[in-house]
């Protein structure tokens, strides 16, 4: 699985290597590093961005679809609602629009070569998503189960949308053709399992996130001081190792302070 930025496409995807990386932050949560973020002042701007991303999506012709999606796509919208009277009541949220490529059977698509390989990878990630949904349903029923989010980049990116502080809705598209009966029933069962996931979403208030960021900044400052004085985890390190540790904490502190001071105008 490789993550591409559809709003900033590369000319030759083969040169991108492993693609963009998935990172996790204790306050900001799971995110894709170096993904393009663009401020949209109105709905028209959002529609234009969505259209541009769709144009850059990989498609290929098969016996079942002349423009078959060869990948899944995620369009994330971050919303920040400000309260002019009381800034501490400002809230924020993230809306992820996910278009899953459909499962494929080689006998129906007639796919060969790279297209066949892509279809196999699509089915593999959909299977991983199905396993996560099954585990979440069992967890909602009171069972202690491991949720295999890390088995796929798709489920890892969608971890907070599926089992975090969120609400999730699945829309299933079906074929009326009798020859697709098995796929239709499989899709319905897939969506029916997703309905059984139980979540408890709460409001994301800006004040709570800022306080958590400040707490982490203070923790980083303490680590920076200990690395400079040679106490704590820095004890027993060489001067070069101490300096490397200090630079690491300084960079982390700089990143955290940048997150706290950034605003939409900066973006």
């Amino acid at each position: 699985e490789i993550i591409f930025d559809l709003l900033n496409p590369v000319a030759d995807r083969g040169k991108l290597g492993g693609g963009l990386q998935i990172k996790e932050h204790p306050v900001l949560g799971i995110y894709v590093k170096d993904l393009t973020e663009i401020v949209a002042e109105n709905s028209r701007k959002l529609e234009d961005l969505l259209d541009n991303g769709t144009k850059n999506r990989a498609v290929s012709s098969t016996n079942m679809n002349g423009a078959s999606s060869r990948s899944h796509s995620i369009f994330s919208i971050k919303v920040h609602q400000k309260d002019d009277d009381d800034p501490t009541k400002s809230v924020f949220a993230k809306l992820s629009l996910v278009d899953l490529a459909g499962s494929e059977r080689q006998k129906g698509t007639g796919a060969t070569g790279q297209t066949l390989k892509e279809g196999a990878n699509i089915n593999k990630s959909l299977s991983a998503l199905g396993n996560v949904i099954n585990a979440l349903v069992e967890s909602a029923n009171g069972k202690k189960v491991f949720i295999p989010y890390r088995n796929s980049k798709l489920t890892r990116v969608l971890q907070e949308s599926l089992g975090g502080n969120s609400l999730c809705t699945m829309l299933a598209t079906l074929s009326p053709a009798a020859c697709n009966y098995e796929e239709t029933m499989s899709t319905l069962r897939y969506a029916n399992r997703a309905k059984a996931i139980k979540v408890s979403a709460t409001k994301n208030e800006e004040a709570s996130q800022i306080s958590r960021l400040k707490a982490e900044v203070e923790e980083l400052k303490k680590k920076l001081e200990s690395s400079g004085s040679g106490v704590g985890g820095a004890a027993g390190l060489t001067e070069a190792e101490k300096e490397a540790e200090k630079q690491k904490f300084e960079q982390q502190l700089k990143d955290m302070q940048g997150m706290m001071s950034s605003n939409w105008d900066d973006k």
Side-chain angles (χ1 to χ4, degrees):
E1 292 174 300
I2 301 176
I3 299 177
F4 296 107
D5 187 347
L6 296 181
L7 295 181
N8 185 27
V10 294
D12 185 0
R13 292 188 173 184
K15 296 181 179 179
L16 196 57
L20 300 181
Q21 296 181 328
I22 301 172
K23 299 290 184 179
E24 184 171 6
H25 189 275
V27 178
L28 302 178
I30 298 168
Y31 65 96
V32 178
K33 185 180 179 183
D34 298 327
L35 197 64
T36 301
E37 288 192 356
I38 300 174
V39 177
E41 299 83 3
N42 50 57
S43 59
R44 182 60 192 171
K45 178 70 173 179
L46 279 176
E47 291 175 1
D48 291 341
L49 291 172
L50 185 58
D51 289 341
N52 290 338
T54 302
K55 290 176 183 177
N56 294 322
R57 191 175 178 184
V59 296
S60 182
S61 176
T62 68
N63 291 345
M64 296 181 67
N65 191 340
S68 173
S69 299
R70 311 315 300 161
S71 64
H72 311 298
S73 68
I74 303 174
F75 186 62
S76 295
I77 306 169
K78 293 181 179 179
V79 182
H80 191 178
Q81 184 183 59
K82 295 186 177 181
D83 190 319
D84 292 334
D85 297 328
D86 187 354
T88 62
K89 293 183 178 179
S90 296
V91 295
F92 57 92
K94 182 170 74 171
L95 174 65
S96 293
L97 304 178
V98 185
D99 183 10
L100 298 174
S103 61
E104 296 184 350
R105 300 197 179 195
Q106 196 276 336
K107 65 178 182 180
T109 62
T112 58
Q114 181 62 25
T115 304
L116 178 61
K117 184 178 179 181
E118 290 168 347
N121 288 332
I122 288 170
N123 291 343
K124 184 178 179 181
S125 60
L126 288 174
S127 177
L129 178 57
N131 291 336
V132 167
I133 291 174
N134 287 338
L136 286 171
V137 172
E138 290 185 16
S139 178
N141 292 331
K143 295 182 180 179
K144 291 185 178 181
V145 294
F146 172 72
I147 314 297
Y149 290 115
R150 294 178 181 268
N151 286 0
S152 166
K153 289 184 179 180
L154 173 66
T155 52
R156 182 63 172 147
V157 170
L158 296 178
Q159 179 172 337
E160 293 179 334
S161 298
L162 291 167
N165 181 33
S166 64
L167 298 175
C168 181
T169 300
M170 179 176 287
L171 177 67
T173 55
L174 309 171
S175 168
C179 61
N180 294 325
Y181 174 80
E182 291 183 11
E183 285 82 357
T184 296
M185 292 303 299
S186 175
T187 301
L188 286 172
R189 286 192 290 267
Y190 201 96
N192 190 54
R193 290 201 305 270
K195 281 177 59 179
I197 298 175
K198 296 179 182 178
V199 294
S200 179
T202 58
K203 187 183 295 184
N204 292 315
E205 293 185 341
E206 185 176 22
S208 62
Q209 188 186 46
I210 293 298
S211 62
R212 290 168 64 192
L213 285 171
K214 285 182 178 178
E216 189 165 345
V217 166
E218 290 303 318
E219 185 64 26
L220 283 171
K221 285 181 178 179
K222 291 179 182 179
K223 289 182 179 179
L224 187 57
E225 290 173 0
S226 65
S227 66
S229 60
V231 298
L237 299 178
T238 65
E239 289 302 318
E241 290 173 334
K242 288 180 182 178
E243 183 61 28
E245 192 80 356
K246 182 179 178 182
Q247 290 180 1
K248 182 184 76 171
F249 288 137
E250 284 179 341
Q251 184 59 48
Q252 288 178 343
L253 184 59
K254 182 179 178 182
D255 292 342
M256 290 295 299
Q257 290 173 332
M259 291 175 188
M260 290 175 60
S261 61
S262 65
N263 53 47
W264 290 115
D265 292 333
D266 295 333
K267 294 181 183 299

